[in-house]
Amino acid sequence: MKLLLATNNVNKRIEFQSLLPATITLLSLEDVAIHEELPEHEKTIEGNSLSKAKYASEKAGIPCIAEDTGLEVYALNQEPGVYSARYAGKNATSADNIKLLLQRLDTISDRKARFKTVITYYENGQYEQFEGIIEGRIAEFEKGSNGFGYDSVFIPEGLDKTFAEMNLEQKNEYSHRKRAFVRFLSFYRNKL
Ligand code: IMP
C-alpha cells in the first residue's frame, strides 16, 4: 500500500515512518517528482495542512497525507501558531525562532503552551482531518540536543524534561504528531 507524505522535512518523515505499519510504503515528494515548495499561505494550521495535501495529491494522482504543526503559547495570544516556522522572519532558523520566543517570554511567568498538529488525508477530491495536541510549557532556556524545531524548549505537561532530552520513542509517547497520527491510522486502517 502506497501513501504519499507531503513534506520536505526529513525529521517529520522519520517520525511518520516510525509510526506506520511496515505494510505501508511512505512515498516522499521526491519519489513523485514534486520539487517545488508546497502552498502554505493560509491563516490557520488546518488550512495549510489541507492546501499541502490537496496540491500534492492532485499533482501526483495518488492519496496523500500532509500535516501542519504550530506551537501555541497562551500568554502570547497563541503565537507563534501558524507562523511557527517563520516567527523570527522569512528565512529564520529554529535557533532564531527560539531566541525570539524566549525574549518575548522573558518577563512573563505564565509559560503554558501547546503543540498542535493537523493531519489531512486527501483522496479524489475528498479529505479528512485529524488533530493532535500536547499541552506543556516553555522552558526558561534550551535543554537537550535531540529532535528539531522548538523541541529544546518544550516541556510536556507533568514532565520535567524537554522533547529534545528524549529519544524519538519517548517523544512519540506524548507528541502532538503521534496523537494526530493515531487518529488518522484508525481511519486509514478501514481502507486497507
Ligand atoms: P511546519 O508544520 O513544518 O510548518 O512547522 C512549523 C514550525 O513548528 C517549524 O518551525 C517546525 O520546526 C516546528 N515544529 C513542527 N513540529 C515540531 C515538533 O515536533 N517539535 C518541535 N518543533 C516542531
Side-chain angles (χ1 to χ4, degrees):
M1 194 81 178
K2 286 181 178 171
L3 180 64
L4 173 61
L5 174 66
T7 183
N8 285 311
N9 184 323
V10 177
N11 293 293
K12 286 185 182 176
R13 196 174 148 67
I14 293 169
E15 285 195 9
F16 270 117
Q17 194 72 70
S18 76
L19 298 170
L20 267 177
T23 47
I24 300 170
T25 308
L26 210 51
L27 297 183
S28 70
L29 291 170
E30 260 183 24
D31 293 333
V32 295
I34 295 180
H35 303 295
E36 64 275 24
E37 292 266 310
L38 299 175
E40 254 186 288
H41 310 300
E42 304 301 322
K43 292 200 163 47
T44 60
I45 293 171
E46 289 80 2
N48 277 338
S49 177
L50 172 58
S51 70
K52 290 187 276 191
K54 179 175 189 298
Y55 180 91
S57 176
E58 287 180 347
K59 185 143 191 212
I62 54 174
C64 175
I65 51 170
E67 68 95 72
D68 201 60
T69 294
L71 175 67
E72 300 182 333
V73 180
Y74 290 88
L76 300 177
N77 288 322
Q78 311 302 106
E79 267 186 30
V82 72
Y83 304 107
S84 294
R86 50 210 144 103
Y87 191 37
K90 199 163 167 260
N91 298 315
T93 62
S94 290
D96 300 331
N97 290 333
I98 288 173
K99 193 171 163 204
L100 179 63
L101 178 65
L102 293 181
Q103 269 170 13
R104 295 246 161 107
L105 287 174
D106 197 26
T107 54
I108 298 176
S109 57
D110 172 12
R111 303 179 76 93
K112 282 206 294 290
R114 64 183 199 169
F115 269 119
K116 175 170 142 181
T117 288
V118 175
I119 292 177
T120 302
Y121 175 79
Y122 194 96
E123 181 181 10
N124 288 332
Q126 309 276 327
Y127 71 92
E128 297 276 340
Q129 293 193 306
F130 309 90
E131 186 183 85
I133 286 177
I134 171 77
E135 302 284 343
R137 66 190 162 88
I138 303 299
E140 273 72 25
F141 51 89
E142 286 190 71
K143 281 184 282 180
S145 54
N146 295 331
F148 66 101
Y150 295 90
D151 276 347
S152 61
V153 289
F154 185 82
I155 302 173
E157 197 170 47
L159 300 183
D160 59 4
K161 57 181 175 181
T162 67
F163 270 157
E165 293 178 287
M166 303 177 191
N167 61 33
L168 188 51
E169 203 181 323
Q170 291 166 329
K171 180 180 173 185
N172 278 344
E173 271 180 51
Y174 308 97
S175 96
H176 43 298
R177 192 164 298 104
K178 167 77 182 280
R179 289 176 179 185
F181 196 78
V182 165
R183 290 179 168 173
F184 158 70
L185 214 52
S186 67
F187 154 86
Y188 190 63
R189 275 187 207 287
N190 294 326
K191 292 180 161 289
L192 298 177

